[in-house]
Amino acid sequence: MGEWAFLGSLLDAVQLQSPLVGRLWLVIMLIFRILVLATVGGAVFEDEQEEFVCNTLQPGCRQTCYDRAFPVSHYRFWLFHILLLSAPPVLFVIYSMHQASKEAGGAQPAPACTRGRPEAPCAPCSLRARRARRCYLLSVALRLLAELAFLGGQALLYGFRVAPHYACAGPPCPHTVDCFVSRPTEKTVFVVFYFAVGLLSALLSVAELGHLLWKGRQRAKLPPAPAPAALPSSRADPDPFGPPAYAHRAPAGDSEGEGGSGHSKASLATVRQDLAI
């Protein structure tokens, strides 16, 4: 159960980025697939090759007939199914963690955003959110394709019924032999249950994909936010015919005497310093 717990912890991180439909898919994945297969599936299919009995003692005949009856074991087929379905969400989690570590580590510093102000959105944050939405949309599409491929493969390989009897002919068997499968009814119930869970999971993936596309289209229809208006300046425009800024005027009352002479000398010293610079 250790490897299932590790996979479940990785899938549990997906719900932070998923809508409600995605979280329902995650519940179906964790409970009705991983938990059921780990607790019940192993006990049902662990002895399928040992209990596959044929009415012959010819060496190699029973193994060849089992390989023809079941090209891939049910249990291993579903294990590979779960691993392939988990790959797109886990890759999305790895991508999100990588982006978060880059921002936290300073490799790509995040600019200050004006949160809570829809009239002034943060362009870099909007770009990161758009990339995250596209990556999540791609992961849902890949998950749906894998689901449909495995459902078709299960229907082609096993059908919907595990037959209790299998007639086998061909080398190394000397003649047509009869082989018998253990617990065919229980295995049939499990096959139908797992196929029904796969159909439900595929429908949830289709609903989530449509929901994401609809939200993206609604977001694209929104008008662009206007740029924030510039604040009026409290300083008046300078007079083009007035003296330069560094030419400090002396007060009117001190235009004569020593006070006026001191201010004039200070102004001239400032002018020379500014011109020298």
Side-chain angles (χ1 to χ4, degrees):
M1 292 292 293
E3 60 275 7
W4 293 114
F6 174 71
L7 182 60
S9 63
L10 287 178
L11 291 176
D12 189 52
V14 182
Q15 67 175 346
L16 301 177
Q17 305 286 344
S18 303
L20 178 60
V21 184
R23 296 181 182 183
L24 290 178
W25 177 88
L26 186 61
V27 170
I28 297 295
M29 183 72 172
L30 293 176
I31 297 180
F32 293 98
R33 277 191 164 163
I34 294 180
L35 185 61
V36 171
L37 192 63
T39 56
V40 181
V44 173
F45 293 94
E46 64 182 356
D47 61 343
E48 54 182 351
Q49 187 171 4
E50 290 77 6
E51 298 297 330
F52 189 79
V53 181
C54 300
N55 58 352
T56 182
L57 297 179
Q58 179 70 23
C61 180
R62 185 176 67 88
Q63 289 80 3
T64 303
C65 292
Y66 177 82
D67 183 69
R68 293 174 182 172
F70 305 102
V72 182
S73 170
H74 289 82
Y75 187 75
R76 295 176 180 87
F77 179 82
W78 290 327
L79 283 180
F80 187 62
H81 186 189
I82 289 178
L83 291 178
L84 193 60
L85 281 182
S86 305
V90 170
L91 290 177
F92 175 74
V93 170
I94 293 175
Y95 168 78
S96 301
M97 293 174 62
H98 174 67
Q99 294 297 323
S101 63
K102 285 175 61 178
E103 295 177 4
Q108 186 179 355
C113 298
T114 54
R115 302 186 181 276
R117 296 180 59 187
E119 69 275 7
C122 178
C125 291
S126 301
L127 181 60
R128 289 196 298 268
R130 192 181 308 114
R131 289 177 180 175
R133 285 193 298 267
R134 289 177 180 175
C135 291
Y136 185 76
L137 186 65
L138 180 61
S139 70
V140 174
L142 293 177
R143 189 181 74 198
L144 178 60
L145 291 178
E147 188 76 73
L148 295 177
F150 272 93
L151 286 178
Q154 178 178 338
L156 292 176
L157 286 175
Y158 312 114
F160 303 98
R161 179 176 176 268
V162 178
H165 171 263
Y166 180 75
C168 179
C173 301
H175 51 79
T176 301
V177 298
D178 297 325
C179 300
F180 303 92
V181 182
S182 64
R183 298 196 296 271
T185 304
E186 185 178 8
K187 292 179 179 179
T188 299
V189 172
F190 202 89
V191 167
V192 173
F193 169 79
Y194 204 86
F195 192 85
V197 171
L199 285 179
L200 179 60
S201 178
L203 291 177
L204 288 177
S205 298
V206 170
E208 184 177 6
L209 191 63
H211 174 71
L212 292 174
L213 291 176
W214 179 78
K215 285 187 64 177
R217 183 172 299 180
Q218 293 296 322
R219 190 178 291 107
K221 291 181 180 179
L222 293 177
L231 296 176
S233 177
S234 58
R235 298 179 59 183
D237 295 337
D239 187 5
F241 301 101
Y246 50 76
H248 303 285
R249 293 184 178 180
D254 297 335
S255 57
E256 296 179 356
E258 296 181 356
S261 177
H263 283 290
S264 299
K265 292 179 181 179
S267 300
L268 291 176
T270 306
V271 170
R272 294 191 187 100
Q273 185 180 3
D274 291 341
L275 290 178
I277 294 175

